[in-house]
Amino acid sequence: MTPEQARRVIFEVLADIAPEVDESTVDDHHDLTEQLDLDSMDYLNWMVGINEETGVDIPQRDVSEFLTIAGAVAYLVTHSPEPAGATTGSPGGLAAG
Amino acid sequence: MIDFLLPSLGADMDRAKLNLWLVEPGDTVHKGQIIAEVETEKAVLEVECWDEGVIEELLVQPGPEWLSVGTPIARIRALESADTPGPVETPRSPGQKPLPARPPAGRPEPAPPIRHLAHELDVDLSSLQGTGEGGTITRSDVRAAAAPTGKPATAIPISGEQRVKASPRARFLADRLGLDLSDVAATGSGGMVSAADVEAQPVPAREPEDKVAAMRRAIARSMAHSKREIPHYYLATHIDLDEALRWLEIQNAERSVGERILPAALLLKATALGLREIPDLNGHWIDDSFRPSSSIHLGVAVSIREGGLVAPAIHDADQLDLGEMMARLRDLVNRARSWRLRSSEMSDPTMTVTNLGDRGVETAFPVIIPPQVAMVGLGKVVDTVVAVDGSPAVHPVIHATLSADHRVTDGHRGGLFLATIDRLLQEPQSL
């Protein structure tokens, strides 16, 4: 998954939870719950939505990675399954994942 | 023949407009089935049917007129139970809209936001093959099904106006701009109105319908009534959550993100069990006397993003295990925020909890929602120095408050109730 794809999923799910949020005004590096007035249920729904859309599991210990948009994008890029056919691309098979 | 009456829709809510019928004459209906959508000043509510039978006639058509609670809105022919030993299958009429169905047993239940999206886009979930993990139905599946190239459209308007397919953001923008979604040219897949379509629409076609202002008026009525009539007394205590949160973390470590339990579910369960032990806080003050309730329907105050508040009920909250409590809470909050509550949820909470901890508030002093006689306020979890076996330790601590009606209970009973919640939270495994 590319950062652009991750970002698109993240905001698509967010739009269902907080429809008034305008993507262009969100600071990628600022605490998301504080910035967008999300409560713990909104925040959980957002992670559940991302999990459903991408198949990326978000174990309890990694929840803190999702405090910002930047953190969430980085997590999804690192943890999303490699697309079919791309697994042999990395010399020595040391692709991140 | 049974006259189906517009049901009670909550305290101080004595009228509603009929938005939509979800059944038509000839349809078989069962208990608990959603048969119509109505709108009060406070919320859009799904009306459940409490009779078994066949819809004989719809007495009221959708429209802008206010209907009083108790108005007959449909006529239902009762089924002869002796003649119908099994579930009754009536042939579907060609124009019959399928019920909002859940997928067949054995498949994972779609999350509430997915069910909501399916409802918005008129997609029948039972006809979908999920592509998510373990066959879960995802947003993309629902959106694909709404497209003409996917499954054939399952919903046919049967009465009233057809619900326009629109994304939640499009709906929000249209509401704010005062646009009628049916006036917006849709460019999205399956004729779905997207946010961009709404933004492209030049001039507002009508005055915005201000749901939030209507909700504020309803809150004003209810809260002024409370402060005028109910002699509140207030109690507060600190509850050490060290044991409870440690235990919850262990539980959550093994759960997938969709099954994770928030501390709120634990606190609600402890409150519900506390009401079992102190039942004189659970019920209603009607006609100058207290009427205790034998069931515990825990109201949960849910703030609406656009402003305002609703406090629908989690039914029989004391009988749910924590996983069920969490699922019900999540479903309720999501539906409240998308203005899709059910009539029974608004009409029968027996005591309410407000949890303002998420907003950084340490202590809440609730105003009782009449005709209830008590309300619990929960603040934020704060790391606090506490004495443990004579030595200082830092533990997560929450401030729990009780507002109660002095006509029904005194501080002593109220104090016992808060102490009971505290005790229950020290044994989280028993919740």
Side-chain angles (χ1 to χ4, degrees):
Chain A
M1 183 180 281
T2 66
E4 292 70 33
Q5 287 167 331
R7 210 184 150 79
R8 197 178 54 74
V9 170
I10 284 168
F11 277 98
E12 196 177 292
V13 176
L14 199 56
D16 286 348
I17 293 164
E20 78 284 6
V21 169
D22 179 354
E23 185 175 341
S24 63
T25 64
V26 176
D27 178 346
D28 275 14
H29 301 278
H30 191 78
D31 184 313
L32 198 63
T33 57
E34 199 179 291
Q35 201 178 169
L36 305 181
D37 191 23
L38 302 182
D39 65 14
S40 51
M41 191 64 78
D42 293 328
Y43 188 56
L44 179 66
N45 281 332
W46 178 59
M47 287 188 287
V48 171
I50 290 172
N51 165 254
E52 284 165 355
E53 291 301 305
T54 62
V56 173
D57 186 30
I58 308 168
Q60 173 82 0
R61 61 176 183 280
D62 291 344
V63 165
S64 60
E65 310 273 340
F66 282 74
L67 287 177
T68 62
I69 295 286
V73 169
Y75 191 89
L76 291 182
V77 170
T78 316
H79 291 80
S80 60
E82 298 250 348
T87 45
T88 54
S90 171
L94 292 173
Chain B
M1 202 69 69
I2 307 160
D3 270 346
F4 182 80
L5 311 179
L6 181 65
S8 165
L9 302 162
D12 290 345
M13 282 291 120
D14 49 12
R15 58 180 195 169
K17 296 172 191 173
L18 179 65
N19 278 357
L20 193 69
W21 277 113
L22 296 168
V23 290
E24 65 174 0
D27 285 359
T28 303
V29 292
H30 56 263
K31 278 183 190 149
Q33 180 177 336
I34 312 291
I35 60 168
E37 181 184 285
V38 299
E39 186 168 346
T40 70
E41 283 161 334
K42 213 166 169 179
V44 174
L45 299 173
E46 294 175 335
V47 174
E48 298 142 289
C49 181
W50 294 111
D51 301 298
E52 305 272 346
V54 175
I55 299 282
E56 187 75 13
E57 190 184 354
L58 302 176
L59 301 172
V60 178
Q61 287 309 308
E65 305 81 32
W66 288 105
L67 305 169
S68 304
V69 164
T71 304
I73 57 173
R75 196 156 289 152
I76 297 172
R77 177 158 37 86
L79 291 177
E80 294 294 326
S81 54
D83 300 342
T84 56
V88 184
E89 277 295 330
T90 49
R92 267 173 136 45
S93 60
Q96 186 175 353
K97 176 177 172 142
L99 303 174
R102 297 182 168 199
R107 291 207 346 226
E109 174 110 330
I114 304 292
R115 290 213 298 273
H116 173 59
L117 185 66
H119 182 93
E120 293 284 293
L121 301 180
D122 272 337
V123 169
D124 177 11
L125 284 174
S126 66
S127 68
L128 288 193
Q129 195 66 48
T131 60
E133 204 175 340
T136 318
I137 295 170
T138 68
R139 272 179 185 71
S140 315
D141 295 335
V142 174
R143 291 206 164 106
T149 47
K151 282 269 171 194
T154 51
I156 297 155
I158 50 170
S159 58
E161 62 185 282
Q162 185 178 14
R163 237 182 127 75
V164 178
K165 293 179 184 180
S167 73
R169 179 157 170 84
R171 219 169 267 287
F172 165 79
L173 288 173
D175 220 31
R176 200 176 61 178
L177 297 171
L179 288 173
D180 192 330
L181 276 172
S182 56
D183 295 340
V184 179
T187 61
S189 59
M192 184 174 110
V193 177
S194 70
D197 296 338
V198 175
E199 282 165 336
Q201 191 76 9
V203 187
R206 60 172 168 85
E207 283 294 299
E209 173 190 58
D210 201 339
K211 281 184 196 165
V212 175
M215 180 184 266
R216 279 254 68 85
R217 280 196 299 277
I219 294 171
R221 261 205 310 275
S222 170
M223 294 295 96
H225 172 192
S226 175
K227 281 289 189 175
R228 204 168 48 235
E229 301 286 331
I230 303 178
H232 288 63
Y233 70 87
Y234 306 95
L235 305 174
T237 192
H238 287 102
I239 297 179
D240 189 330
L241 290 183
D242 190 53
E243 194 66 35
L245 295 186
R246 254 183 229 273
W247 177 82
L248 195 57
E249 193 159 335
I250 294 168
Q251 303 303 309
N252 280 337
E254 293 160 10
R255 287 172 179 259
S256 70
V257 64
E259 294 172 334
R260 212 158 286 162
I261 295 171
L262 292 174
L266 208 64
L267 296 167
L268 289 178
K269 182 67 192 293
T271 306
L273 290 179
L275 286 173
R276 236 193 231 171
E277 294 190 28
I278 314 286
D280 33 3
L281 294 171
N282 186 56
H284 303 110
W285 178 268
I286 296 168
D287 295 337
D288 281 335
S289 66
F290 174 58
R291 301 188 183 174
S293 168
S294 53
S295 308
I296 295 173
H297 302 321
L298 204 56
V300 181
V302 181
S303 62
I304 307 295
R305 289 192 75 79
E306 299 95 312
L309 180 75
V310 282
I314 294 181
H315 292 139
D316 300 311
D318 57 322
Q319 292 167 32
L320 305 175
D321 69 30
L322 278 179
E324 291 167 338
M325 176 69 91
M326 183 62 204
R328 296 275 286 274
L329 177 65
R330 210 172 135 215
D331 177 53
L332 196 70
V333 171
N334 291 339
R335 284 190 294 107
R337 289 188 173 153
S338 48
W339 307 81
R340 305 216 65 81
L341 290 167
R342 293 178 192 144
S343 48
S344 65
E345 290 163 342
M346 286 306 288
S347 65
D348 65 1
T350 55
M351 203 215 59
T352 295
V353 177
T354 178
N355 181 0
L356 287 167
D358 279 336
R359 307 292 176 195
V361 170
E362 282 191 30
T363 312
F365 303 97
V367 179
I368 299 167
I369 303 170
Q372 295 167 48
V373 301
M375 187 157 170
V376 165
L378 300 168
K380 136 174 133 171
V381 179
V382 180
D383 280 338
T384 308
V385 179
V386 296
V388 178
D389 300 329
S391 301
V394 176
H395 281 186
V397 169
I398 196 169
H399 211 198
T401 50
L402 173 72
S403 299
D405 187 334
H406 229 322
R407 295 172 300 188
V408 183
T409 55
D410 301 314
H412 177 71
R413 291 296 280 170
L416 281 177
F417 176 62
L418 287 180
T420 305
I421 296 178
D422 187 352
R423 172 172 54 75
L424 292 165
L425 286 167
Q426 303 315 314
E427 296 161 357
Q429 64 285 352
S430 64
L431 286 174

